[in-house]
Amino acid sequence: MSLSHFSAAEVQAVGASLQSPEDLGNREDVELQWAIKASNHAETYFNLITSVDPSVLRLTKQDDEIYSQFRTEFKDFKVDIIDVAELKSAEAKIKWRAFCESFKDMDDYNYGSLLRIDCKKDYTESNSIFALRIQFLAIEIARNREGYNADLRKTKGIVNDSKDS
C-alpha cells in the first residue's frame, strides 16, 4: 500500500495523533514516519485477514478482554460500516477516551492506525480513517469474531481490483 493516496493533511493528522506537539514541534519527518508505520501496519493486517480465517485470528493476548469491554461499552456500535461520527464527534471522543485509557498498560495502545470504514473493502483514501490502535483492535476483533471479515479471503482479488469503488 502506498501513501500516495493520502493527502498531506491526513499524513500530518496521524503524526499529530501519535505524540504531543509540545514534544515534537512541527516535524514533518516524524509525522511521515508515523504515517508510514500506520500504512505498513494496515497492509500487513489486510494481507493477514485475506490469507487466514479471521474468526480464529488473535491480534493480541488481550483480545477477549478488548472484545468484551468493547461490546459492553459500545453494544450498538456498527462495525461493518463505521459511522465516523461515532469515533470522531465530541461526545464520542469522551466515551472512547475512557475506553482507550483502560488499556493504557498495553504497548502502543494510543498509536495511530488506519481503520477501514467499510470492512468489505481494502484500505483506500476514501475507505480509511485514522484511529487509535486500541480503537482499531476493538473494531477489527469484533469484525473478525462477528464474521464481517470472513468473505475477504474469497473476494480478495475483487477487493484489490476495485479500489475506491
Side-chain angles (χ1 to χ4, degrees):
M1 180 171 127
S2 166
L3 288 176
S4 63
H5 60 270
F6 290 101
S7 70
E10 289 173 313
V11 171
Q12 289 177 336
V14 74
S17 71
L18 298 174
Q19 291 202 6
S20 70
E22 298 82 31
D23 295 341
L24 297 175
N26 192 15
R27 295 193 42 205
E28 291 181 23
D29 60 323
V30 173
E31 292 172 356
L32 183 58
Q33 288 174 1
W34 284 115
I36 290 169
K37 185 174 181 175
S39 176
N40 289 341
H41 176 264
E43 183 176 13
T44 300
Y45 178 69
F46 193 77
N47 287 337
L48 187 61
I49 61 173
T50 57
S51 301
V52 300
D53 180 359
S55 68
V56 297
L57 190 60
R58 292 196 57 87
L59 301 178
T60 73
K61 294 176 189 174
Q62 295 174 279
D63 280 13
D64 294 337
E65 180 185 351
I66 293 168
Y67 180 72
S68 176
Q69 187 169 333
F70 171 67
R71 278 306 182 203
T72 298
E73 295 183 29
F74 299 93
K75 60 181 162 240
D76 297 324
F77 190 93
K78 283 184 57 189
V79 295
D80 56 341
I81 300 175
I82 303 295
D83 178 353
V84 177
E86 288 190 64
L87 285 174
K88 306 288 184 180
S89 72
E91 182 179 309
K93 284 181 180 181
I94 292 168
K95 190 172 181 180
W96 275 106
R97 186 173 295 117
F99 174 83
C100 294
E101 286 303 308
S102 69
F103 291 97
K104 66 183 176 186
D105 61 324
M106 178 185 286
D107 289 341
D108 303 340
Y109 82 102
N110 64 347
Y111 279 27
S113 292
L114 292 174
L115 179 64
R116 293 171 299 134
I117 296 170
D118 183 341
C119 70
K120 301 227 181 287
K121 297 180 182 178
D122 199 343
Y123 287 93
T124 62
E125 182 176 3
S126 63
N127 193 47
S128 301
I129 58 172
F130 289 112
L132 294 177
R133 178 74 46 93
I134 191 63
Q135 289 174 307
F136 164 85
L137 288 169
I139 291 166
E140 288 298 340
I141 290 167
R143 285 173 168 176
N144 291 341
R145 291 186 176 195
E146 295 169 15
Y148 291 106
N149 283 335
D151 290 337
L152 286 175
R153 278 191 315 160
K154 299 173 196 162
T155 61
K156 183 179 180 186
I158 296 168
V159 171
N160 287 339
D161 291 340
S162 62
K163 298 239 186 225
D164 279 334
S165 59

